[in-house]
Amino acid sequence: MNTPHPIPFLFTLTSLLIMSSCQAQNKLPPDHAYVQVSPSGTLTLDGKRVRFWGAVLNYIHVRPEGEGAEGLSILPGDSPEERQRKVNARRQAIDAAADRLAALGFNLVRSWDGFDPTQPYQVGDGSVQDIFAYSCAAFEKRGIKLWVPQFNQTGKITETDVGVLDSPADAEAWKEAIREWNTKEPKSIRDSKFYVHDPRTAALRLQRMKAYADFPNHYKKGLRLGDDPQVVVWELTNEEWWLTSMLNGSWQNYPKYFRDQLMDRWHAHLLKKYKNDDALRAAWGFLLENESLEKKNVLLAPLANPVKDLVLNDVNPLAIAAQTATQQKLTRANFTRQRGSDVIEFFLQTIIARKMAERDAVKSWGKSAKLSPLVFDTGDGFRIQSVYLHQLADAVTMCTYLEGFAKDDQEPRFPWFSYLDEPPAWRMTCPGPRSVACRANPSSSTKPRPSTPSNSAPNIPIVSWPRPPSRTGTSSSGTAFPAPFSRWGTNPTTAPLKSAMQDSLRKAFTSASMKCKAPP
C-alpha cells in the first residue's frame, strides 16, 4: 500500500503558520485605543476625555548641544565605527529631548520633518527615515502622541510628473505650463496653489501624501503611520492661505494653462447658479461691456486688489475686449456687492471641494487616518469664510504668534501684556478662540508665542485644544533643537524661569483651571 506523501501537508501547514504570523503582525489595536472626536466635540481615548499640551520640533535635526547641523549626517565614506557613533549620538539627543518634553508635561509633538517615505531603510542605518521612525518610537515610550503635518512635505513638481494622470490630450500643454511655472528651478507643490483646481497636480499631491501614510516604522514591527494609534491629528496643510491668496489675485500670475482651468470653473459656477446672462445681469445689477456667460468672458472680479491690466482673465480676445472697454483699473468700487459675494463663494467652494476630496482619500489610508481627527489647515486668518471651511473638518485649528507687549499705556503691566490676565486670547489684533470655535468640533491654537526682549526666548504655548504647540524646542532659526542637555534657551538667568512658566501653563491648561473670559 502506498503511503501518502507528507510534503503537501507540510507545505499547507507551513503556509497556514506564515499566514497566521502575518495576521498577528497586522492585527491593529481596538478602536478605543485611537484618539477620536466625541459627539459632544471633545477628544476621547479609551473612552475618556483627553487634552493635549504640545510642542513643535524637527526630529531629523535634533542633535547634541554644540554639534553642527551636518556633523551627524551619515556620509558614504564613513567607517562602520563612525556610522555607529553618529547613530548613537543622534539617538542620545533624541532620547534627551523626549525626556525633557515629558518632564515638562508635554504629551503631544508636531514633527515638522520632510523626507522621502518611499525610500527603504533599516533600523540603525542613520538615514532620515530611520531617525524619524526612531523618534516616533522614543516619544511613544514616554507617552507622547503625534500631530502629523507631513502632508505639507510633498516635494517639488516637474514636467516629468505628467504621467501621474492618464490624460494624453492635455499632457504636452501641462508640461509646457510647468516649465513656464518653474522658471529657474522646480517649485514645490505647496507653493503651486493651482493644485487645488488642476487635476494632475492634485493627483500628484495625493500620491505623495499617501506615501507618508504607508511609511512603515520598523521600530514598531513595521506598523504603518496610517494605522498608528500614536497619531492624534492629521493635518492637510499648514498656513496655506489659499483663499486669501486667490482673493488677492495671485492666480493672475499662473501660466495661462492654469488660468484657463480656473476660468472654466468660474463660468461653470455661474452657469449652474444663474443659467443665463439675463439672470446674471439681474442679480449683479449690470455686466461690463461684452461680458457674457455664453462667450465665457465674464471677468473674475472684483478682487481685494485692483486687477492687473490685460492680465486678469486673458483667456480669449473677448475677455480682453471686455476689460479694455472699461478704460480703467477695476476695483471693488466698480462692482456690486452681489458680484463680490459670488467671487468669494466661488473660491470658497473651490477650496472646500479640494479639502473634501483629500479628506475622503486620507480617511481610506489606515485606521488612525480614519478614526483620529483631521484638520484642513492651521491658519488662513480669522475671516468667517475660513472659519466655515475649518468647521467642515473633524477639528478647528487656527494659528498666530502672540505678542507680549502692551499697546495701551493704561495696561496695568505696561509695557508688558499678559495673556493670563484675560485668557484666552490670540493676540492684540485678533479675536479670541471663541471666534473660531464650533460646538461639534474640538479646536486648537497653533504656535502661540509671547515676545520678550530676549532673542533666544522660547515660544510658550498658552491655551486651547489639542495642542497650543509652540516652537519650543527649536532655535531662533526654527531648524534645530538647541540644547537637549541643558535648559531651554541660552540665557542662564531666564531659562529656569521660562521652564517654570512652561510647566505652570501646562498644568493650568490640562487641569482645565484656565477659564475663558465671557464673550462681549
Side-chain angles (χ1 to χ4, degrees), residues 13-28:
L13 178 60
T14 302
S15 300
L16 290 174
L17 289 174
I18 292 175
M19 291 174 60
S20 176
S21 175
C22 291
Q23 290 172 354
Q25 183 179 1
N26 294 330
K27 186 176 181 180
L28 298 175

Side-chain angles (χ1 to χ4, degrees), residues 325-465:
T326 66
Q327 297 296 313
Q328 62 179 339
K329 284 182 177 291
L330 300 177
T331 69
R332 284 177 288 180
N334 298 116
F335 301 98
T336 61
R337 180 183 181 88
Q338 183 57 47
R339 180 160 179 162
S341 296
D342 281 337
V343 170
I344 294 175
E345 180 185 53
F346 165 68
F347 282 125
L348 184 59
Q349 288 187 5
T350 300
I351 187 61
I352 286 175
R354 185 69 247 146
K355 296 294 186 183
M356 292 294 199
E358 291 191 348
R359 178 203 62 184
D360 293 345
V362 172
K363 292 294 183 181
S364 69
W365 292 346
K367 193 166 186 177
S368 172
K370 177 182 179 180
L371 296 177
S372 295
L374 177 144
V375 296
F376 283 172
D377 194 41
T378 61
D380 207 4
F382 298 85
R383 58 186 54 80
I384 191 171
Q385 293 86 8
S386 58
V387 173
Y388 176 71
L389 168 68
H390 283 286
Q391 291 181 356
L392 297 176
D394 298 327
V396 177
T397 181
M398 285 287 177
C399 71
T400 188
Y401 290 93
L402 299 181
E403 301 170 1
F405 295 101
K407 294 178 172 59
D408 184 351
D409 60 10
Q410 298 303 307
E411 286 287 341
R413 302 179 189 271
F414 185 84
W416 313 113
F417 179 84
S418 172
Y419 288 85
L420 297 181
D421 289 335
E422 298 184 5
W426 295 101
R427 61 183 171 93
M428 299 293 288
T429 57
C430 291
R434 289 181 183 274
S435 69
V436 297
C438 176
R439 289 178 180 272
N441 302 70
S443 60
S444 74
S445 131
T446 64
K447 297 186 287 294
R449 175 187 66 186
S451 303
T452 74
S454 170
N455 290 332
S456 62
N459 309 321
I460 303 176
I462 302 297
V463 293
S464 242
W465 175 95

